[in-house]
Amino acid sequence: MSPTDTIIRVRGLTREYRMASETIQALAGVDLEIAKNEYVAIMGPSGSGKSTMMNVIGCLDTPTAGEYWLNGVEVSRMTDDELAQVRNREIGFVFQTFNLLPRASAMHNVELPLIYAGTRAADRRERAGRALERVGLGDRMHHKPNELSGGQRQRVAIARALVNDPSILLADEPTGNLDSTTSEEIMAVFADLHRQGQTVIMVTHEADIAAHAHRVVTLRDGCVFSDMLGQAA
Amino acid sequence: MPLFEAVRLALQTIWTNKMKTAFSVIGVFIGVTFLIAVVSIVEGMNNYMVDRFAGTLLGINTFHLRRFPNFQTGEVTPEMWRSWVRRPRIRYEDADAVEAAITVPHIAAWESTARAELEYRGRIARDIEVTAATERYFEIKDLPIEAGRPFSAQEVKAGAPVLVIGWELGERLFEGRDPLGREVKIRGIPYRVIGVVEKQGNLFGISLDKFAITTAHAPAKRFVNPPGVVDALIVKTGSQEELDVAITQAEAAMRTRRQLRPAEENSFAIETADAVLDFWAKINRVLMMALPGLVSISLVVGGIVIMNIMLMAVSERTREIGIRKSLGARRRDILSQFLVESSTISAVGASIGVGVGLAAAAIVNATTPLPAAVAPWSIAVGVGLGAGVGIIAGIYPASRAARLDPIASMRQET
Ligand SMILES: Nc1ncnc2c1ncn2[C@@H]1O[C@H](COP(=O)(O)OP(=O)(O)OP(=O)(O)O)[C@@H](O)[C@H]1O
Ligand SMILES: [Mg+2]
């Protein structure tokens, strides 16, 4: 693996939550490297620190200790606003709970990252439209989230994550709120995106979903327990 | 986020929360309505006082020599009043001497006024202002003749029983028939109508078109003043400087005639529009000083209301803020979103306030004798203050929103 292909490099990553009486180590010194065009599944029991790690990798959270390089830039010491810009340019995040703006149309939801990137309105609409078409929602652009099914909402969220051409697509249990048929459809979308060259990191509880990935990283008590190349690779 | 985008978003949010917005703008709305309405009325009064009141009743570059002032601009105590009525009256000789003493170019007229009944073939017009004047009166008072003619110097000298009447008096007495040449009786003595003055409109709801002017020595003069006495000598000059000279000369001439010692006060009054205008300026100042206080109280209250509404909006929309931040919104993006929203809300309230204020001014104008004129600056100040209050009231809620942590915010249930 050549160093230029490395997108994420994490060294001794630690995230502590200081509570009134105790300190919880959600991440206890994680070392990890992820290269371009990998499809990584992150597994582990509940409370093992998967979401915490995704939030740090997604620049939504900052580590208590350790280093995090994203595309060769150290982001672990950045300010709030610098992190916001990194999130805007480098990261597409898909959440279990979709996190769409309820009063905005699918189109406007997908446009949001472009608004904060300062893209002109005409450009924005065109790119948002293309992203929605990519996830098979070309005919639902002007629907509001409550006029869409769960699977369609998650597709809108994926389109929104993709619209800025991020270096990594992060998904924290993206099928956690969906039935099994819809889950399969959403997994097909991710597989398709990966085939087109997108780097994907996904948290999941289910082995059959992890089977889509090339590599499975298992966390336990905030540490990497195992790191294996899967069958799909 | 570009400003245009932010304003559009704000308007959208306002539209979806119409009731809440309506409630939150009440304070700003009241403040601005008040500002516009009061300023319009004061401004209207101002125009009226300067153009019509002072101009029409007292005249520009004009002074009236009288026994005591006609327009009291301060408190008149009973002692003052008693000393005034003890003063000697203005006699023909006084008027002549004063006029002779004035060296700057001027025109002058005599005036004596009383209220009387006018009768035409059984129709009676009561409480009409009848003025006995000399021929330059029309020129000095700026009363253009619409039909017929004014009376001449010969007619004044001869005490001819002729009348120039106001437009409304003509309507009343003759019911639309041509007034010219008709015979009107005042105290049983017949007068011939020779002219009608152009319509003058009204002042504070009082018609300026119900008057009759006759010659200075006409029979009617007898029941206005004792023989040889006039109410006022009116002198008009071409400029303020000439007026000042004329007043000094008139005062000196009168003091000489009355043999007043230097320590003694004038036993006569020289009245100009200045005194009335000064008095008005004083009232104006008081109003304009009270106004900012009243307006700022309602704006402060309005600002507090908006701040609370915005704080509510921030906590209701914590999840939205988290989502926006997760997608790359920086602190200043969230800050400006909420600032634009609060100032837009406030500006909407201010604009409605401007509208209602203008409507109030128009209603006052139409239904009361108070004139109202909209001052353009008050509209600008109103909207500006409104938006400014919005920005100030929005700072605290917006900075709270901007500092929210994206993960914690997104986790919040809605
Ligand atoms: N905001 C927080 N304050 C305190 N402790 C937290 C906070 N967020 C997470 N933790 C703790 O950190 C640990 C890791 O949590 P995390 O959410 O990363 O687990 P997870 O692997 O995603 O679990 P799940 O599979 O249930 O989603 C847990 O023990 C959790 O209680
Ligand atoms: Mg989790």
Side-chain angles (χ1 to χ4, degrees):
Chain A
M1 194 192 300
S2 82
T4 50
D5 277 350
T6 305
I7 291 186
I8 291 168
R9 182 202 300 259
V10 159
R11 285 282 171 271
L13 202 67
T14 303
R15 177 65 166 99
E16 290 173 350
Y17 290 107
R18 242 175 272 280
M19 312 293 280
S21 55
E22 50 178 343
T23 300
I24 296 168
Q25 277 215 323
L27 294 177
V30 172
D31 296 332
L32 194 65
E33 265 174 51
I34 293 173
K36 199 172 160 65
N37 200 24
E38 272 197 287
Y39 189 163
V40 181
I42 295 182
M43 297 193 70
S46 185
S48 57
K50 304 182 295 295
S51 294
T52 307
M53 189 156 93
M54 290 297 263
N55 289 340
V56 173
I57 289 175
C59 294
L60 286 166
D61 198 2
T62 44
T64 316
E67 294 164 354
Y68 169 23
W69 278 276
L70 177 64
N71 283 321
V73 180
E74 196 183 352
V75 294
S76 33
R77 305 277 170 267
M78 281 186 170
T79 65
D80 257 24
D81 280 359
E82 287 166 338
L83 288 173
Q85 281 192 316
V86 173
R87 287 197 293 274
N88 186 249
R89 291 181 193 151
E90 308 284 350
I91 289 161
F93 215 126
V94 178
F95 304 91
Q96 180 178 354
T97 52
F98 318 136
N99 282 342
L100 299 174
L101 297 189
R103 278 195 285 267
S105 65
M107 179 63 126
H108 186 74
N109 268 291
V110 177
E111 274 185 273
L112 284 172
L114 297 173
I115 288 177
Y116 294 114
T119 313
R120 282 187 308 114
D123 231 14
R124 232 158 52 202
R125 233 153 279 150
E126 199 215 303
R127 284 171 65 180
R130 257 190 287 138
L132 282 164
E133 271 158 19
R134 251 177 111 182
V135 298
L137 280 182
D139 55 344
R140 293 283 190 283
M141 291 188 188
H142 302 294
H143 288 234
K144 301 237 167 92
N146 62 6
E147 298 159 356
L148 296 169
S149 73
Q152 288 170 330
R153 287 183 211 183
Q154 197 57 300
R155 284 167 194 261
V156 174
I158 295 170
R160 184 179 66 184
L162 288 176
V163 75
N164 256 2
D165 293 321
S167 352
I168 40 170
L169 182 58
L170 300 173
D172 190 350
E173 296 189 54
T175 59
N177 279 6
L178 303 173
D179 62 46
S180 53
T181 328
T182 318
S183 296
E184 279 304 321
E185 285 170 25
I186 293 296
M187 291 317 296
V189 172
F190 279 104
D192 208 40
L193 292 170
H194 173 245
R195 218 169 299 123
Q196 291 167 32
Q198 182 69 55
T199 311
V200 179
I201 306 172
M202 181 186 296
V203 172
T204 182
H205 276 297
E206 310 190 30
D208 56 330
I209 285 178
H212 286 273
H214 294 180
R215 180 180 165 195
V216 177
V217 174
T218 309
L219 295 184
R220 192 159 288 176
D221 297 328
C223 295
V224 177
F225 176 72
S226 73
D227 187 344
M228 298 181 296
L229 292 182
Q231 307 98 322
Chain B
M1 196 176 346
L3 184 66
F4 166 74
E5 206 66 51
V7 172
R8 207 177 55 116
L9 180 68
L11 287 172
Q12 224 169 316
T13 312
I14 289 167
W15 186 246
T16 48
N17 299 303
K18 285 179 278 286
M19 276 312 291
K20 207 187 292 172
T21 307
F23 174 70
S24 60
V25 301
I26 283 175
V28 172
F29 161 75
I30 290 173
V32 172
T33 304
F34 209 75
L35 174 79
I36 303 287
V38 171
V39 170
S40 298
I41 290 165
V42 170
E43 186 82 356
M45 295 275 284
N46 212 2
N47 290 348
Y48 231 70
M49 291 308 280
V50 175
D51 294 355
R52 312 271 325 254
F53 188 72
T56 306
L57 297 184
L58 290 166
I60 295 153
N61 298 331
T62 301
F63 77 79
H64 289 60
L65 170 68
R66 293 180 181 280
R67 182 151 69 130
F68 49 79
N70 210 7
F71 296 99
Q72 278 86 42
T73 56
E75 202 195 349
V76 180
T77 61
E79 300 92 86
M80 266 168 90
W81 182 252
R82 274 195 296 276
S83 81
W84 282 358
V85 294
R86 273 199 308 269
R87 286 175 176 182
R89 293 164 189 270
I90 308 293
R91 305 197 54 83
Y92 292 172
E93 304 80 50
D94 295 327
D96 284 335
V98 165
E99 231 200 301
I102 296 173
T103 56
V104 293
H106 69 277
I107 54 177
W110 295 2
E111 175 196 66
S112 298
T113 298
R115 299 203 161 263
E117 255 176 44
L118 271 68
E119 189 227 300
Y120 173 71
R121 294 194 183 161
R123 290 188 61 80
I124 291 173
R126 284 194 178 80
D127 203 29
I128 300 298
E129 191 180 81
V130 176
T131 300
T134 53
E135 68 280 0
R136 308 299 290 271
Y137 185 78
F138 301 99
E139 209 177 318
I140 286 184
K141 289 283 179 173
D142 193 20
L143 296 172
I145 307 294
E146 185 184 69
R149 60 172 182 86
F151 45 72
S152 66
Q154 284 76 24
E155 284 169 312
V156 169
K157 219 165 268 156
V162 291
L163 278 184
V164 172
I165 61 170
W167 173 87
E168 195 179 330
L169 177 61
E171 288 287 291
R172 266 229 215 149
L173 279 178
F174 311 117
E175 298 176 295
R177 278 167 293 181
D178 183 7
L180 295 182
R182 292 186 194 276
E183 210 158 76
V184 174
K185 282 189 176 137
I186 303 175
R187 300 227 170 163
I189 297 169
Y191 289 78
R192 197 157 46 79
V193 176
I194 59 165
V196 179
V197 173
E198 261 178 28
K199 197 171 176 175
Q200 298 294 298
N202 61 68
L203 189 64
F204 303 123
I206 301 159
S207 172
L208 294 176
D209 292 298
K210 291 195 295 191
F211 60 87
I213 303 163
T214 185
T215 54
H217 308 293
K221 170 69 177 62
R222 257 175 288 148
F223 61 79
V224 177
N225 272 321
V229 168
V230 288
D231 276 356
L233 166 71
I234 315 172
V235 174
K236 180 172 182 151
T237 63
S239 69
Q240 181 65 47
E241 293 73 43
E242 287 173 350
L243 180 67
D244 292 341
V245 174
I247 287 173
T248 314
Q249 292 171 335
E251 195 178 351
M254 280 304 286
R255 290 185 69 88
T256 310
R257 283 185 64 77
R258 297 263 167 101
Q259 299 175 337
L260 298 175
R261 281 187 302 274
E264 276 179 302
E265 275 185 22
N266 284 347
S267 58
F268 51 90
I270 288 179
E271 199 174 26
T272 65
D274 287 355
V276 175
L277 287 181
D278 281 354
F279 179 64
W280 168 246
K282 246 179 255 163
I283 296 177
N284 206 347
R285 239 187 335 267
V286 170
L287 282 172
M288 286 300 185
M289 258 154 63
L291 187 65
L294 292 168
V295 170
S296 25
I297 288 170
S298 47
L299 288 184
V300 165
V301 171
I304 292 169
V305 171
I306 289 176
M307 184 162 95
N308 277 297
I309 297 278
M310 291 309 293
L311 281 172
M312 254 161 69
V314 169
S315 68
E316 269 169 22
R317 281 152 64 193
T318 300
R319 201 176 155 84
E320 174 194 325
I321 295 161
I323 293 170
R324 289 179 182 277
K325 290 194 99 173
S326 79
L327 298 174
R330 290 157 302 178
R331 285 185 179 201
R332 76 180 92 123
D333 293 316
I334 301 295
L335 190 79
S336 63
Q337 178 186 339
F338 281 90
L339 281 185
V340 168
E341 194 170 313
S342 64
S343 52
T344 306
I345 286 176
S346 185
V348 165
S351 308
I352 300 171
V354 168
V356 173
L358 294 182
I363 289 169
V364 165
N365 213 3
T367 59
T368 71
L370 281 178
V374 175
W377 66 262
S378 68
I379 296 178
V381 166
V383 175
L385 275 181
V389 164
I391 290 177
I392 291 167
I395 286 174
Y396 175 60
S399 66
R400 266 181 55 159
R403 281 198 311 266
L404 285 175
D405 171 60
I407 300 172
S409 314
M410 276 192 293
R411 210 172 278 149
Q412 183 187 287
E413 302 295 323
T414 33

